[in-house]
C-alpha cells in the first residue's frame, strides 16, 4: 500500500510538473507577445511624440517670429506716433504763426484804409482850395492885374501888375503851396516883403484868401 501511495504521489507530481511547464511555456509566449506589443506601442508612441515635439517646436518658432514681428511693428508705430506728434506741434506752431500773420495783415489793411481815406480827404481839401483859388484868380485877374502860374514842386506863383504907375507891366510876385500839414506856406516874394510871414499866419488862421491877396498887393504898392 505504501508503494501504491508513493506511485500515486509520483504520478501526481509528474502531472503537476507537466502542467506547470505547459503553463510556464504559455506564459513565456504571452510575455514575448506582450514584449513585442510593448515595443511596437513604444515605437509608435515615440514616433508620435517626435512628431508632436517637432510640431511644438515649429509652433514655438512661429510664436517667437510673431513676437518679433509684433515688437518691430510696435516700434514702428511708436516712431510714427512720435513723428505725428512732432508734425502736429509744427502744424500748431505754423497755425499760430498764420493767425498772427493774418492779424498783422488785417491791421495793415485797416491802417492802409485809414491812410487812404486821410489822403483822399486831404486831396479833396486841396482840390477845394485850388478851386477857391481858381475863382479868386478869375476875380483878381481882371480887377487887380493878377496872374497865377503853376510851377515846380506843386507851387503856385502869384504875379501882380499895374502896381507901379510908371511901369505898369513890372511884376511883383510871390509863391504859395500847401505843406505836409496841409497849411498855406508863402515864399519867394520879389521884391522881398518883410511882412509876408505875418500875412501867412493870418491866412492860416482866417482862411480868408481874398484878404490875404489884398494885403500883399497893398504891401507891394507901399514899396513903390
Amino acid at each position: 500500500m505504501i508503494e501504491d501511495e508513493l506511485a500515486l504521489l509520483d504520478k501526481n507530481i509528474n502531472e503537476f510538473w507537466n502542467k506547470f511547464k505547459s503553463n510556464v511555456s504559455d506564459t513565456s509566449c504571452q510575455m514575448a507577445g506582450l514584449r513585442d506589443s510593448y515595443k511596437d506601442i513604444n515605437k509608435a508612441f515615440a514616433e508620435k511624440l517626435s512628431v508632436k515635439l517637432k510640431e511644438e517646436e515649429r509652433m514655438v518658432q512661429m510664436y517667437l517670429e510673431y513676437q518679433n514681428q509684433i515688437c518691430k511693428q510696435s516700434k514702428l508705430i511708436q516712431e510714427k506716433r512720435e513723428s505725428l506728434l512732432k508734425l502736429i506741434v509744427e502744424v500748431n506752431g505754423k497755425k499760430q504763426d498764420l493767425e498772427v500773420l493774418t492779424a498783422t495783415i488785417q491791421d495793415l489793411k485797416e491802417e492802409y484804409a485809414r491812410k487812404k481815406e486821410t489822403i483822399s480827404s486831404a486831396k479833396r481839401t486841396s482840390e477845394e482850395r485850388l478851386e477857391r483859388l481858381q475863382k479868386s484868380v478869375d476875380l483878381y485877374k481882371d480887377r487887380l492885374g493878377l496872374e497865377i502860374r503853376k510851377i515846380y514842386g506843386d507851387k503856385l506863383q502869384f504875379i501882380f501888375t499895374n502896381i507901379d504907375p510908371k511901369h505898369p507891366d513890372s511884376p511883383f510876385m510871390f509863391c504859395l503851396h500847401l505843406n505836409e500839414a496841409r497849411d498855406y506856406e508863402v515864399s519867394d516874394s520879389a521884391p522881398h516883403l518883410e511882412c509876408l510871414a505875418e500875412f501867412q499866419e493870418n491866412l492860416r488862421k482866417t482862411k480868408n484868401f481874398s484878404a490875404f491877396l489884398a494885403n500883399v498887393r497893398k504891401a507891394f504898392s507901399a514899396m513903390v
Side-chain angles (χ1 to χ4, degrees), residues 40-118:
D40 294 338
I41 292 172
N42 191 38
K43 182 179 180 181
F45 177 75
E47 292 176 354
K48 289 182 179 180
L49 182 60
S50 177
V51 173
K52 185 67 175 176
L53 289 175
K54 289 182 179 180
E55 182 67 22
E56 290 293 335
E57 183 179 357
R58 188 177 67 83
M59 293 297 293
V60 170
Q61 186 65 30
M62 290 178 61
Y63 174 75
L64 293 176
E65 291 179 358
Y66 178 70
Q67 285 290 98
N68 188 30
Q69 290 294 328
I70 289 177
C71 290
K72 290 181 179 180
Q73 291 294 328
S74 298
K75 184 178 180 180
L76 183 60
I77 290 173
Q78 181 64 24
E79 291 176 355
K80 289 185 177 180
R81 181 174 179 273
E82 292 176 356
S83 299
L84 180 60
L85 291 176
K86 184 178 179 181
L87 181 60
I88 290 174
V89 171
E90 291 178 357
V91 170
N92 289 335
K94 290 181 179 180
K95 182 179 179 181
Q96 292 177 356
D97 293 341
L98 180 61
E99 291 176 353
V100 172
L101 180 60
T102 302
T104 302
I105 292 174
Q106 183 62 31
D107 292 340
L108 291 175
K109 286 182 177 179
E110 293 175 358
E111 181 67 20
Y112 172 75
R114 288 193 295 269
K115 289 184 177 181
K116 184 178 180 181
E117 178 60 28
T118 301

Side-chain angles (χ1 to χ4, degrees), residues 173-174 186-202 212 215-216 218-220 222-223:
M173 65 189 71
F174 69 92
V186 185
S187 62
D188 303 327
S189 64
H192 179 69
L193 291 175
E194 294 291 342
C195 57
L196 197 61
E198 180 183 352
F199 292 162
Q200 172 184 282
E201 188 65 25
N202 289 334
F212 167 75
N215 290 331
V216 172
K218 288 179 182 178
F220 278 138
M223 298 178 67

Side-chain angles (χ1 to χ4, degrees), residues 130-157:
L130 288 175
E131 184 178 356
R132 290 196 298 270
L133 287 175
Q134 186 62 45
K135 290 180 179 179
S136 299
V137 168
D138 296 338
L139 175 64
Y140 293 113
K141 187 175 183 179
D142 297 332
R143 297 184 181 181
L144 301 178
L146 175 62
E147 180 182 359
I148 301 175
R149 299 174 183 174
K150 185 175 181 181
I151 59 176
Y152 63 92
D154 292 331
K155 289 184 177 181
L156 294 178
Q157 186 179 55

